[in-house]
Amino acid sequence: MKIGELSKYSQISIRMLRYYEEEGLLYPKRSVSGYRQFEIADIERVKLIQKLNTAGLTLKVIRKVLPCWQYQRKKFSPCKEFKIGLNETLLKLDEKIQLLEQSRSHLMTLLNEKG
């Protein structure tokens, strides 16, 4: 299938699909005339990439995680790379949460000051 069809079936823009390819997340074959040729399995692959990215994983981490996905059985087997990437993401989220809690505390202090 061509990139437009993949975009239609996966509901992911052509621009984003090209970006995923640039980032080493998709490896389409090329036709004789140079058109990208995607497989049916690529529909699930790009949906998975999008879900992982929405969950907070960077594309760099997702690139490491994708080999853990067994497309034939549509089963996820957490591999070492996935666990490392997930731990990195969780640490970054914890840092953001801590900063947000500090900001909230400062704002509450300002709100409660008598002036």
Side-chain angles (χ1 to χ4, degrees):
M1 88 181 79
K2 292 182 182 176
I3 196 166
E5 294 170 292
L6 179 59
S7 175
K8 177 184 170 187
Y9 293 126
S10 65
Q11 299 181 348
I12 296 173
S13 72
I14 291 173
R15 184 174 178 223
M16 186 59 72
L17 294 172
R18 287 183 180 137
Y19 182 66
Y20 288 166
E21 182 183 357
E22 288 174 18
E23 291 296 314
L25 299 168
L26 291 175
Y27 303 97
K29 296 176 185 173
R30 295 283 181 156
S31 68
V32 176
S33 56
Y35 289 104
R36 292 171 179 86
Q37 294 293 313
F38 293 94
E39 305 291 326
I40 296 294
D42 289 322
I43 297 169
E44 292 301 317
R45 183 179 183 92
V46 295
K47 286 181 177 181
L48 175 64
I49 292 167
Q50 187 177 44
K51 284 180 188 176
L52 293 172
N53 192 240
T54 301
L57 296 174
T58 63
L59 295 183
K60 179 181 175 183
V61 171
I62 293 170
R63 192 177 313 109
K64 293 177 185 177
V65 169
L66 284 176
C68 299
W69 188 260
Q70 299 174 2
Y71 293 99
Q72 298 81 7
R73 290 182 248 156
K74 297 192 180 203
K75 179 181 173 190
F76 181 72
S77 298
C79 59
K80 178 183 172 185
E81 291 81 5
F82 174 78
K83 291 177 182 178
I84 291 170
L86 190 59
N87 281 327
E88 290 173 4
T89 301
L90 288 171
L91 286 173
K92 289 177 185 176
L93 284 174
D94 286 342
E95 290 172 6
K96 287 180 183 178
I97 289 169
Q98 184 178 15
L99 287 172
L100 287 170
E101 286 176 344
Q102 289 173 357
S103 294
R104 186 180 191 288
S105 177
H106 292 307
L107 291 173
M108 290 299 293
T109 300
L110 291 172
L111 186 64
N112 292 324
E113 282 185 5
K114 296 179 182 179

